[in-house]
Amino acid sequence: MKKMITTLALAAFSAAALAQTPQLRADNIDEVLSAMTLREKAMLLVGELAANQNAQGTQIGNTERYIPGAAGNTYAIPRLGIPPTVMADGPAGLRIYTKRNYDSHTYNCTGFPIGTCLASTWDVDKVKEVTTAMGNEVLEYGVDVLLAPGNNIHRNPLCGRNFEYFSEDPVLSGNIAAAYINGVQSNGVGTSLKHYAFNNQETRRLGADARVSQRAAREIYLKPFEIAVKKAQPWTVMSSYNKVNGEYTNSRRDLLTDILRDEWGFQGIVVTDWGGFFDATKCISAGNDLVQPGSPDFINQIVEAVESGKLSQADVDTCVRRMLEYVVKTPRFRQYKFASRPDLKAHAQVVREAAADGTVLLKNEGGTLPFKGVKNVGLFGCGSYRPIAGGTGSGDVNKAYIVSLVEGLRCAGFHLDDNVVSEYTEYLKQYDEKMWKLEWWQRNPVAPEFIPKALAESAKQNDVAVITLQRQSGEGRDRLAADFDLDADDRALVAQVAEAFHKVGKKVVVVLNVGGAIETASWKDIPDAILLPWQCGQEIGHSIADMLAGKSAPSGHLPMTFPVKLTDHASTANFPLDSPDIGGWGDNHTDRKNIDYTEYEEGIYVGYRWFDKEALEVSYPFGYGLTYTTFAFDGLKLELQEGDKPAEDVVEVKINVKNTGAAAGKQVAQVYVSAPKGSVDKPVQELKGFAKTRLLQPGESQTLAIRIPAKDLASFHVKKSAWVTDAGTYTFRVGDNSRNILCESKLKIRKQQEKVSNSL
């Protein structure tokens, strides 16, 4: 009896204590913060590392009990009503495991278009439509934050992760990223804008030092993040692995607090990239709120640092408060009842239709496309039979299928040459038998091309030839210089197929199934048409067939320059070309140029800024893209809307776009601005705004209005540590690519200056 009374008394005491313990709500964060122990606070700032690896692959967060295959989670603190939250990759769709123990259901996700394809739409509404569908899968599969989008600049064509980034231009990158974030977060889930910042190479990515000037940092590399933060407020920002000017980004208070929060107004949390080099104390002091995937050692470091006075309690509490503010926004805190049954069929249709908006038509001699009177197709190139839907690593998606061009063309009503199909099928079967199993993050090798024995007969029997050329890339390693050029097998295939088909009066179409820029200048005269759908997701075969058949029309424009040769890029002398095979991890060296450190000597002259400055010939200019119809621009009008202060001035650019051709289509108006001579060197022109028309029927017009704040015309003055818009006459140039300016007008702008922190 005495034991029973004691037990009941203890239970009553525990219940009373629990009743007095605050339970987290959106309106009692300070109360909960005050009730937390130091160790509980430290736990909330560190991810929960998995004790074991999952049999299905590398398990780098302790998510097996929540959403298997997600990247990581935060600790739960049940005593205070704090649930765990789950974060998962990635930029082309949700990445989780498809199979679970003791569960017959398959948890596939949709493979959406890669970043370069989304950026090629030049259409924020279309990007938001795509990522709204993407975010729905995040919600319905029980994930709180999607670790995307990637928003680093394409400094050089060989960066291994360019496929998941957007552009060489900060204005295009920033606006596409903002649309991406707004789409995903419209579902009530979060995003993680990454990799902040200067993650422009994968070689030695966990320790490489990006040595960059303050002006280049501000105008080129930080600008897309600034635009995305101000226009979309991602729930989280991910600090990058690398160093910048000698210090890891996750430990730079100037980068994470002074610029990101104090200047740009970021309101969310900063999370480290997974598994980098961290000093937990420095991270917290800098304003990096969450270390992932973390370890108990980091928790101990934080506790000991506070107890010893090395780390201030105030800095810890600031980060914990932000973490609690993040937690209360999540679906898991709201106890959303996810069923893991998103509408994958509807999302696949979104992918299929969106591809055309991001597909760039590079060449179309004699109206080769869309096909007219074509029934029989000779289908060449391994990529036609085994297309690449996206990049490797965290940018990949465990999707249910990838539609080949074989399937896509057949479903569209075309007849394929069975002899050619049989040869490729057998060739790829034999190739597979020689290959080995790769880890999830490793790059899948692309099968070398070959010339089918049925080529000559195919040219006689078929109406047209379609050749698909491929390139694969992914995180952890940069592309090799040879990967930029067509290799001997590629060249032989294009040359011999074209020779055979042209000899009998048949046309040849090349499809580029790539993630970034490749060399085109030396061979683009050979085929009659070149279609660049990039890696546009799991419906790639259907999407390409729709465009070839004319059911949809490509309307994409290049988000990067296609140079004549790789060495034309200003950054090529300062990039790890064909570096030792050390991938992202490297070793203990610290002094190898372009491996352990990289000098950004080109400054602000990245991409088209450099090609314009040097008046270099390019294969295809930034912003280039053809359509199945033609357009005319006219009626350019500039209106300066002056505010009470110069910082409030806005220039509205209006341009009328008319479809002058015989087919329906969409067109992009790109606004480039040439600044007056000022106190610093300035580019010939810079993209400052853009807009895309709706689908215009032949003869139909649309007036586009593009608003450009005058402060966006500023250059960064290092000595003044200020953004300065020089007074004078600015030339606003409107065209459909950076080297095809169709109309221009001038406008006087008054001077303005915005002082910012002197950092980096």
Side-chain angles (χ1 to χ4, degrees), residues 5 107 109 231 265 309 313 343 446 497 507 542 593 685 698:
I5 293 173
Y107 297 85
C109 297
K231 290 191 173 185
Q313 183 70 61
D343 191 343
V446 175
V497 170
K507 293 187 176 182
H542 286 317
K593 181 180 180 182
Q685 61 177 6

Side-chain angles (χ1 to χ4, degrees), residues 298-530:
F298 290 138
I299 297 172
N300 293 333
Q301 283 180 30
I302 294 170
V303 171
E304 292 167 5
V306 173
E307 291 176 341
S308 68
K310 184 179 177 181
L311 177 62
S312 77
Q313 183 70 61
D315 283 345
V316 169
D317 286 353
T318 295
C319 291
V320 172
R321 181 178 287 104
R322 288 195 290 248
M323 285 296 298
L324 294 173
E325 290 171 346
Y326 149 72
V327 169
V328 298
K329 293 192 297 186
T330 62
R332 200 165 292 273
F333 177 81
R334 301 194 309 267
Q335 299 182 343
Y336 179 75
K337 303 299 182 184
F338 62 92
S340 296
R341 297 292 192 278
D343 191 343
L344 298 180
K345 185 176 181 180
H347 295 169
Q349 188 63 28
V350 170
V351 171
R352 178 171 180 170
E353 294 174 0
D357 288 84
T359 295
V360 184
L361 181 61
L362 294 176
K363 180 179 180 181
N364 197 21
E365 287 290 325
T368 299
L369 299 177
F371 289 155
K372 304 175 189 67
V374 170
K375 293 183 179 179
N376 302 307
V377 178
L379 192 58
F380 301 90
C382 295
S384 297
Y385 297 82
R386 190 171 292 171
I388 298 169
T392 63
S394 61
D396 194 12
V397 178
N398 294 320
K399 43 205 169 285
Y401 61 84
I402 300 174
V403 178
S404 68
L405 269 71
V406 177
E407 180 181 354
L409 288 169
R410 283 175 172 168
C411 289
F414 296 101
H415 177 266
L416 302 185
D417 189 317
D418 291 333
N419 291 329
V420 174
V421 171
S422 295
E423 284 197 58
Y424 270 102
T425 302
E426 180 60 27
Y427 175 75
L428 290 170
K429 178 182 177 183
Q430 294 178 10
Y431 176 77
D432 287 344
E433 293 172 354
K434 302 174 185 177
M435 298 309 295
W436 57 93
K437 179 176 174 56
L438 301 176
E439 295 293 340
W440 66 270
W441 50 268
Q442 290 179 309
R443 184 175 308 175
N444 299 308
V446 175
E449 298 297 354
F450 81 109
I451 312 300
K453 297 176 182 178
L455 174 58
E457 188 63 25
S458 181
K460 296 177 184 177
Q461 299 297 325
N462 294 292
D463 303 311
V464 68
V466 174
I467 308 169
T468 302
L469 302 177
Q470 291 183 319
R471 290 292 181 273
Q472 177 69 292
S473 63
E475 71 171 302
R477 184 167 182 191
D478 293 309
R479 294 167 60 194
L480 302 176
D483 192 60
F484 178 77
D485 300 312
L486 293 197
D487 61 25
D489 293 332
D490 293 329
R491 289 181 179 276
L493 179 67
V494 173
Q496 292 188 36
V497 170
E499 180 182 15
F501 275 75
H502 286 164
K503 188 175 181 179
V504 292
K506 311 289 179 62
K507 293 187 176 182
V508 176
V509 177
V510 169
V511 174
L512 295 178
N513 180 207
V514 299
I518 66 169
E519 190 274 321
T520 54
S522 69
W523 60 269
K524 66 182 182 181
D525 290 339
I526 298 175
D528 302 282
I530 304 174

Side-chain angles (χ1 to χ4, degrees), residues 651-678:
V651 178
E652 185 170 74
V653 181
K654 289 186 177 180
I655 186 72
N656 186 63
V657 181
K658 182 177 182 180
N659 184 343
T660 57
K666 300 177 182 179
Q667 180 60 296
V668 176
Q670 304 167 27
V671 181
Y672 297 88
V673 179
S674 296
K677 186 176 181 180

Side-chain angles (χ1 to χ4, degrees), residues 38-53:
L38 176 57
R39 181 158 293 276
E40 287 172 334
K41 292 177 181 179
M43 288 173 60
L44 200 58
L45 304 182
V46 177
E48 185 180 8
L49 183 67
N52 301 295
Q53 289 189 343

Side-chain angles (χ1 to χ4, degrees), residues 114-117 119 150-154 159 161-167 194-195 199-200 202:
I114 61 172
T116 46
C117 185
N151 199 28
N152 293 95
I153 289 292
H154 291 197
C159 175
R161 298 186 86 163
N162 276 356
F163 75 93
E164 64 182 85
Y165 299 152
F166 295 123
S167 173
K194 64 184 189 182
H195 305 91
N199 186 181
N200 306 111
E202 286 298 283

Side-chain angles (χ1 to χ4, degrees), residues 6-22:
T6 301
T7 301
L8 291 172
L10 287 173
F13 176 80
S14 298
L18 184 62
Q20 294 176 0
T21 302

